[in-house]
Amino acid sequence: MEPRNNTQVSEFLLLGLSEDPELQPLLYGLFLSMYLTTVLGNLLILLAIVSDPHLHTPMYFFLSNLSFVDVGFTSTSVPRMLVNIQTHSKAISYPGCIAQMCFLLFFAGLDDFILAAMAYDRLVAICHPLHYRVMMGPRRCALMVLVSTITSTLHALLQGFMVLRLTFCADVEIPHFICELNQVVHRACSDTFLNDVVIYFAAVLLALGPLAGILYSYSKIVSSLRAISSAQGRRKAFSTCASHLSVVSLFYCTCIGVYLSSAVTHNSHSTATASVMYTVVTPMLNPFIYSLRNKDIKRALKRLLGSERRRPLAELRLDK
């Protein structure tokens, strides 16, 4: 089989989670329900924060951005999978695959940075409460999100251009339900050494960097909490970190689990199945974690949904 130039490759084949025809309706229903739950849950969190002036604080500003990123992250992967199942087609165009890969990298990187920014926000709130308004002003928060967005964009474009230089053979099959970077690169016919170097360097810098920042922030938080004499005071201070810590643990544990499963089993389908955890399940669970553990979010959601229910009654009274 002679390799073709990458500009002549018209499409890739996404093999999905399973090739069993009997499982396709089940997968379609499962992923459609998870996708709708993810979008609805995160949009409710976003609307609750925007509509409630009491939630216009740095912590909830970052949470609203996280909800937006989760919607974008899931919307980049799941709809394409649903279309392929519905049309009984595994094909995705070459430009579409590269675009999906870049958007996945962008949203994943932005997710990392926002989680790190939220950890820094809790660090300042607990360790430097008197300087919180100055250190976490609106301009600084917006700047943190802007820098994170630019960095994630540059990383996604870099990886995209690195893939464009590769040569692919005909009939490229990707044993995944998305165009995941490693899977695409390792299906190339040309040498991928430079791509592998860039991927590992970026992983250390852009994935482990934010994780190190999160761990440092929580080490400082724990040290500050130990200095508080009152047990009730420690619980109250740590309760503001509980939701964020749960989301961080869920996100990084699933990512590490995917990496370990791919390193141990060398089974691409097992890796694809494990990838469902951080691409679909984690964004779906985030709104539940924040709404169940956070009294302010609960109150804002009740006020938002309650006002929507009362509005028709008010209009009826006016009509009378």
Side-chain angles (χ1 to χ4, degrees):
M1 182 181 296
E2 294 183 0
R4 295 183 184 177
N5 185 277
N6 57 354
T7 57
Q8 296 176 345
V9 176
S10 60
E11 63 182 22
F12 292 155
L13 297 178
L14 293 174
L15 300 184
L17 296 174
S18 173
E19 298 185 53
D20 187 352
E22 295 181 357
L23 287 178
Q24 301 309 307
L26 177 62
L27 290 174
Y28 184 86
L30 179 62
F31 276 84
L32 178 61
S33 61
M34 288 195 295
Y35 176 65
L36 293 177
T37 302
T38 301
V39 173
L40 180 61
N42 281 287
L43 287 182
L44 281 175
I45 294 289
L46 192 57
L47 288 174
I49 293 173
V50 171
S51 63
D52 193 338
H54 296 95
L55 299 183
H56 294 176
T57 62
M59 181 174 72
Y60 294 110
F61 170 73
F62 291 126
L63 177 57
S64 64
N65 280 275
L66 182 66
S67 295
F68 173 77
V69 170
D70 283 341
V71 171
F73 193 41
T74 309
S75 298
T76 304
S77 55
V78 177
R80 180 74 234 184
M81 178 186 181
L82 296 176
V83 169
N84 284 359
I85 294 176
Q86 183 69 25
T87 59
H88 304 287
S89 171
K90 300 177 182 179
I92 181 172
S93 67
Y94 177 79
C97 185
I98 300 300
Q100 185 189 62
M101 183 192 71
C102 289
F103 276 110
L104 286 171
L105 289 170
F106 168 74
F107 286 119
L110 196 52
D111 211 328
D112 277 346
F113 286 122
I114 290 177
L115 289 175
M118 294 174 77
Y120 176 73
D121 171 74
R122 293 299 84 205
L123 167 66
V124 176
I126 293 174
C127 300
H128 309 284
L130 298 179
H131 303 285
Y132 181 73
R133 290 181 178 274
V134 177
M135 296 178 67
M136 297 301 296
R139 183 174 296 180
R140 175 167 294 186
C141 293
L143 182 62
M144 291 171 69
V145 173
L146 178 61
V147 172
S148 300
T149 303
I150 293 173
T151 305
S152 300
T153 302
L154 293 176
H155 171 239
L157 291 176
L158 171 63
Q159 298 290 2
F161 284 126
M162 291 297 295
V163 172
L164 288 174
R165 58 179 286 276
L166 296 176
T167 301
F168 292 92
C169 302
D171 301 324
V172 179
E173 294 184 346
I174 301 175
H176 213 295
F177 66 97
I178 55 175
C179 289
E180 197 265 337
L181 177 60
N182 279 319
Q183 296 289 343
V184 174
V185 168
H186 293 149
R187 293 302 175 279
C189 296
S190 54
D191 181 53
T192 62
F193 174 77
L194 185 58
N195 292 75
D196 291 333
V197 171
V198 173
I199 289 171
Y200 289 129
F201 179 76
V204 171
L205 191 63
L206 301 180
L208 297 183
L211 178 59
I214 292 171
L215 295 176
Y216 173 79
S217 297
Y218 275 104
S219 67
K220 286 292 190 181
I221 289 172
V222 170
S223 298
S224 297
L225 292 179
R226 291 175 63 185
I228 300 176
S229 57
S230 169
Q232 184 178 0
R234 286 196 297 268
R235 284 196 299 269
K236 185 177 180 181
F238 189 75
S239 66
T240 62
C241 306
S243 298
H244 176 258
L245 195 57
S246 300
V247 171
V248 168
S249 301
L250 183 63
F251 180 79
Y252 278 101
C253 286
T254 52
C255 289
I256 293 171
V258 170
Y259 175 78
L260 291 178
S261 67
S262 62
V264 173
T265 63
H266 299 287
N267 188 321
S268 299
H269 282 289
S270 298
T271 304
T273 304
S275 299
V276 173
M277 288 300 297
Y278 75 88
T279 56
V280 183
V281 176
T282 300
M284 181 184 69
L285 293 180
N286 285 352
F288 293 100
I289 293 173
Y290 275 99
S291 60
L292 291 175
R293 287 180 169 270
N294 192 299
K295 293 181 180 179
D296 293 332
I297 292 292
K298 278 186 185 177
R299 192 179 303 114
L301 286 172
K302 288 179 180 178
R303 189 179 295 116
L304 177 67
L305 298 176
S307 65
E308 292 297 328
R309 287 197 299 267
R310 287 193 297 268
R311 190 174 302 164
L313 296 175
E315 290 173 358
L316 286 174
R317 292 193 187 100
L318 288 174
D319 291 338
K320 292 179 179 179

